[in-house]
Amino acid sequence: MMGKYILILSLCNCMYMDAQGIISKIPDSIRKKDYDYIFNRIEDEKINDSQRSTYLQSFLIKAKSEKNWEELSNAYKNYVHYAPDTLKLIYADSMVGAAKRSKDNEMIGAAYLSKGIAYYRQKRLAEALDFYLIADSYIIKTANEYQIYKAKYNIGLIKFYLGFYGEAIALFEECIGFFKRDDTRGYLNSLHMLGVCYNMVGNHGLCSEINKRGIEEGRRLENTDMEPYFVHSEGVNQCLIHNYALAIEKIKSALPAISKAGDFANESIGHFYLGKSYWALGNKELAITYFKKVDQIYERKDYLRPDMREGYELMISYYESIGLQDVQLYYIKKLLRADRMLHKTYAYLQGKIHKEYDTKKLKQQKNDIEKSLNRRKYNDRIFISVIVALCVFVIAIITRYLKSKKEIRRKYEELVQKLEASKKVKSATSENNGLSMSKDAEAMVLSQVEKFEDSKKIRERDLNLTKLAGFFNTNPKYLSEIILKYRQKSFNNYLNGLKVDYIAEKIRNERMLQNYTDKALGEEAGFSSTRRFVNAFETQTGISPRDFIEELKKDQQANT
């Protein structure tokens, strides 16, 4: 703590010094040393905070006295690295200000990029992206490959957060190829993020290969700083393929180093997947303690990755199961707040990444193509053809999209009308029933069918024709004939229809269910798997559960 105060005081002294005579404030042993020497001393892990403060101050004074804007920007960058979090962004502003005085695009771009990284480390993603985009606008005017790839890496981080994993993978693979040449940390960082991306797209085998490679490469290059991150990544990977004991072992072994580094984001991710692993192993009480740690970091740092919101859902279901409604309500409110934050952050980042980054890249590609076509003297014809094709394509996509939305709305309204017609039309028995049973037997089975339709038995997962016929004290053949005659459906379609109607009606009446995942909704309706639930819902209604909920929310908002 004392070291932090020394750093703060040294910076304040430098900021208010006169340009004349400030060189005298540099100790005699350092005054004639060059910037590289002073920087190497700053980076020396063997010196204490007081000594580092002297070198930081000397670097800054030397740059100010010489009006060397590049080194002055680097001086503030040094302070960004070593200062406490509360002052990092202030120094980042000074770093950008010094770079701007140089009027050098490369230097300005590098400063904005460093400022964006400072925001990203605090997981203030919106601000980080803004400064990445400003940095990119300067860097693309230069030939500095290192800065170009550094910008690509950081844009890749934002794309990963947004869930554009394919695009992020392409960027990280480019960065691996470039940084492997002469930037060990950049190389290992890119490898780590590539493995995390493969994890998220479900390629768990390739994720494990990347993690193993990262550990081996770090040891070969004598840089093991990233090893805990590869172990952490593999722990998450093992959790997702249901090797929960191994997941717990790996994540727990990696967390101390990650926590010591102040990386609250990966610490929170580790806590979430520890909780998820313990939950899957049946130790729900211990799982809850880890989900609460995720919540504590969210409260302190306002950081929550979209996949981690499931922790709130599990806490809500846990406290409901043990009857603590006040705690259940508390976490419901927390989840709703988190969803608003995620939606706001996601929408902002997605808009910026497409409008100000991807569009800019596309425009650059378009300009390059146009120049090439001009050189070949048939620019006009090809350019017009490309534009016409793009317009036709866009119009086709928009038309298809609007038609799809209209069809979804029609199917939704049909479903709502069906649900509102709550009383089923019962068919009376006839003299000539056409069935291989007596009229009395037919009436008895039909009566039991109608009672079954109004009972909770429709939610049983392993229900089949034979089992239901046993409940009715009849045989499967009679039951199948009754359902076919009076409900005009095969048994499976009939049972799926009841389950779908049940869950659709419940979603309409209980708004909390509108935030449930398809998996949770399927379990509530009594389906044995998420895939069977979604397929049954789409078969019975013509729309997916997500489309139904989206249209339902529109109606509810219109009525409020």
Side-chain angles (χ1 to χ4, degrees):
M1 182 62 70
M2 182 60 67
K4 292 183 178 180
Y5 290 122
I6 293 172
L7 289 174
I8 295 169
L9 290 172
S10 70
L11 180 68
C12 293
N13 287 336
C14 289
M15 290 175 66
Y16 293 104
M17 284 180 182
D18 246 4
Q20 294 181 349
I22 62 174
I23 195 68
S24 62
K25 299 294 182 180
I26 302 177
D28 293 338
S29 60
I30 306 176
R31 189 174 303 165
K32 294 183 180 180
K33 301 295 185 180
D34 59 19
Y35 291 105
D36 287 339
Y37 172 84
I38 302 174
F39 178 74
N40 288 333
R41 296 298 292 154
I42 292 172
E43 294 286 283
D44 188 349
E45 296 180 356
K46 297 177 182 178
I47 65 174
N48 59 38
D49 287 334
S50 178
Q51 291 171 315
R52 179 170 288 110
S53 175
T54 299
Y55 286 111
L56 284 166
Q57 188 177 41
S58 298
F59 195 114
L60 181 63
I61 292 172
K62 180 177 174 66
K64 290 178 76 172
S65 65
E66 295 175 1
K67 295 184 178 180
N68 186 328
W69 308 125
E70 178 179 2
E71 296 299 350
L72 183 58
S73 180
N74 288 332
Y76 286 118
K77 184 177 180 180
N78 293 336
Y79 273 101
V80 170
H81 182 71
Y82 287 103
D85 288 344
T86 53
L87 294 175
K88 285 184 186 293
L89 300 179
I90 296 174
Y91 303 156
D93 285 333
S94 299
M95 174 181 62
V96 170
K100 281 185 173 181
R101 296 185 71 173
S102 72
K103 303 186 185 304
D104 181 273
N105 287 328
E106 186 174 312
M107 193 183 307
I108 298 170
Y112 273 117
L113 188 58
S114 294
K115 185 173 181 179
I117 292 170
Y119 275 102
Y120 183 83
R121 284 174 178 162
Q122 295 187 18
K123 292 302 176 281
R124 294 172 59 175
L125 302 183
E127 294 98 327
L129 178 58
D130 286 341
F131 289 113
Y132 290 160
L133 295 173
I134 295 172
D136 189 66
S137 67
Y138 285 99
I139 291 170
I140 60 174
K141 300 174 186 176
T142 75
N144 188 323
E145 280 192 298
Y146 175 78
Q147 293 296 341
I148 289 171
Y149 279 93
K150 192 174 178 182
K152 282 186 177 185
Y153 172 83
N154 286 285
I155 293 294
L157 294 176
I158 301 294
K159 283 183 175 286
F160 166 80
Y161 179 83
L162 289 172
F164 302 141
Y165 302 122
E167 297 172 32
I169 286 171
L171 287 171
F172 292 134
E173 285 179 337
E174 285 186 58
C175 291
I176 288 169
F178 177 79
F179 290 129
K180 187 176 182 179
R181 288 181 258 167
D182 53 15
D183 186 337
T184 297
R185 187 57 185 264
Y187 171 50
L188 295 176
N189 282 343
S190 300
L191 269 178
H192 170 249
M193 287 309 304
L194 181 63
V196 173
C197 285
Y198 281 130
N199 189 333
M200 299 306 288
V201 298
N203 197 333
H204 301 293
L206 195 49
C207 174
S208 289
E209 289 180 19
I210 294 292
N211 290 331
K212 181 181 177 182
R213 176 184 167 189
I215 292 172
E216 291 173 348
E217 287 289 85
R219 292 175 181 176
R220 180 181 69 82
L221 296 167
E222 298 181 349
N223 186 328
T224 57
D225 291 347
M226 286 297 294
E227 187 163 323
Y229 286 87
F230 289 110
V231 175
H232 179 276
S233 172
E234 187 57 26
V236 174
N237 193 43
Q238 292 300 320
C239 174
L240 293 177
I241 57 177
H242 312 310
N243 292 332
Y244 301 114
L246 184 57
I248 291 169
E249 176 188 336
K250 288 188 174 295
I251 296 172
K252 280 190 171 181
S253 69
L255 273 181
I258 289 172
S259 179
K260 184 178 179 181
D263 186 351
F264 61 85
N266 276 298
E267 184 180 0
S268 181
I269 292 166
H271 290 322
F272 169 72
Y273 281 98
L274 281 173
K276 193 167 182 177
S277 297
Y278 279 117
W279 184 278
L281 292 172
N283 194 339
K284 295 185 177 181
E285 291 78 10
L286 186 54
I288 292 297
T289 64
Y290 282 103
F291 293 143
K292 286 182 176 180
K293 290 181 180 182
V294 174
D295 178 59
Q296 289 165 4
I297 292 176
Y298 172 52
E299 284 297 317
R300 294 199 318 269
K301 299 293 187 178
D302 206 28
Y303 174 76
L304 187 72
R305 211 168 67 177
D307 56 318
M308 294 157 58
R309 70 180 297 280
E310 184 187 358
Y312 286 103
E313 294 178 348
L314 295 176
M315 284 197 287
I316 290 167
S317 69
Y318 172 77
Y319 286 112
E320 180 183 19
S321 69
I322 62 175
L324 291 180
Q325 291 185 329
D326 54 339
V327 184
Q328 178 191 0
L329 179 61
Y330 172 79
Y331 284 111
I332 288 173
K333 291 179 179 179
K334 275 289 190 72
L335 178 55
L336 291 173
R337 192 185 105 195
D339 280 342
R340 287 194 296 271
M341 181 276 290
L342 287 170
H343 175 75
K344 180 180 177 181
T345 302
Y346 188 96
Y348 177 84
L349 293 173
Q350 187 180 44
K352 295 285 278 187
I353 202 81
H354 283 313
K355 292 177 183 177
E356 296 192 26
Y357 180 73
D358 291 342
T359 300
K360 180 170 64 178
K361 299 302 179 187
L362 288 172
K363 286 182 177 179
Q364 183 63 43
Q365 293 173 12
K366 172 177 168 290
N367 289 337
D368 292 342
I369 291 171
E370 287 178 355
K371 289 177 183 178
S372 175
L373 293 176
N374 277 328
R375 287 194 297 269
R376 297 174 187 177
K377 297 184 179 179
Y378 55 89
N379 173 66
D380 290 343
R381 184 178 63 185
I382 295 182
F383 179 69
I384 291 172
S385 299
V386 170
I387 293 299
V388 169
L390 284 174
C391 289
V392 171
F393 177 75
V394 169
I395 290 170
I397 291 295
I398 292 173
T399 302
R400 183 176 178 181
Y401 173 79
L402 294 176
K403 184 177 179 181
S404 172
K405 295 298 287 185
K406 186 176 180 181
E407 180 66 11
I408 287 172
R409 185 66 191 180
R410 185 180 70 80
K411 293 289 187 181
Y412 163 77
E413 290 174 350
E414 288 179 358
L415 177 56
V416 170
Q417 289 174 3
K418 176 185 174 185
L419 295 174
E420 289 177 347
S422 57
K423 291 186 178 180
K424 303 179 179 68
V425 178
K426 315 288 185 184
S427 298
T429 57
S430 60
E431 289 295 328
N432 183 13
N433 60 22
L435 302 179
S436 57
M437 67 183 79
S438 68
K439 284 172 47 183
D440 290 342
E442 177 185 353
M444 181 190 71
V445 175
L446 180 59
S447 174
Q448 289 175 317
V449 166
E450 292 172 351
K451 290 178 181 179
F452 164 71
E453 291 170 348
D454 295 326
S455 73
K456 293 183 178 180
K457 281 188 176 294
I458 63 171
R459 298 170 56 195
E460 291 188 13
R461 293 193 184 188
D462 58 348
L463 198 59
N464 56 39
L465 180 63
T466 302
K467 188 173 182 180
L468 188 60
F471 290 153
F472 294 171
N473 293 319
T474 186
N475 65 53
K477 179 182 177 183
Y478 287 174
L479 179 57
S480 178
E481 289 177 350
I482 289 290
I483 290 172
L484 187 61
K485 177 179 179 180
Y486 289 100
R487 300 297 179 254
Q488 291 80 48
K489 293 181 179 180
S490 67
F491 178 77
N492 285 337
N493 283 339
Y494 164 71
L495 185 58
N496 285 342
L498 292 177
K499 291 177 182 288
V500 168
D501 288 349
Y502 163 78
I503 196 64
E505 183 64 26
K506 194 163 185 181
I507 291 170
R508 291 181 70 211
N509 294 328
E510 300 180 24
R511 292 199 177 191
M512 187 177 74
L513 268 67
Q514 295 171 16
N515 296 317
Y516 277 24
T517 62
D518 286 343
K519 180 182 178 182
L521 292 173
E523 290 174 351
E524 177 68 24
F527 285 92
S528 59
S529 71
T530 305
R531 178 180 59 80
R532 289 182 179 177
F533 164 61
V534 173
N535 288 344
F537 200 101
E538 290 178 347
T539 300
Q540 297 291 330
T541 68
I543 57 176
S544 70
R546 293 297 105 195
D547 288 334
F548 173 66
I549 291 172
E550 182 180 340
E551 295 298 323
L552 181 60
K553 286 181 177 179
K554 289 179 184 177
D555 282 355
Q556 290 171 343
Q557 289 173 357
N559 293 329
T560 55

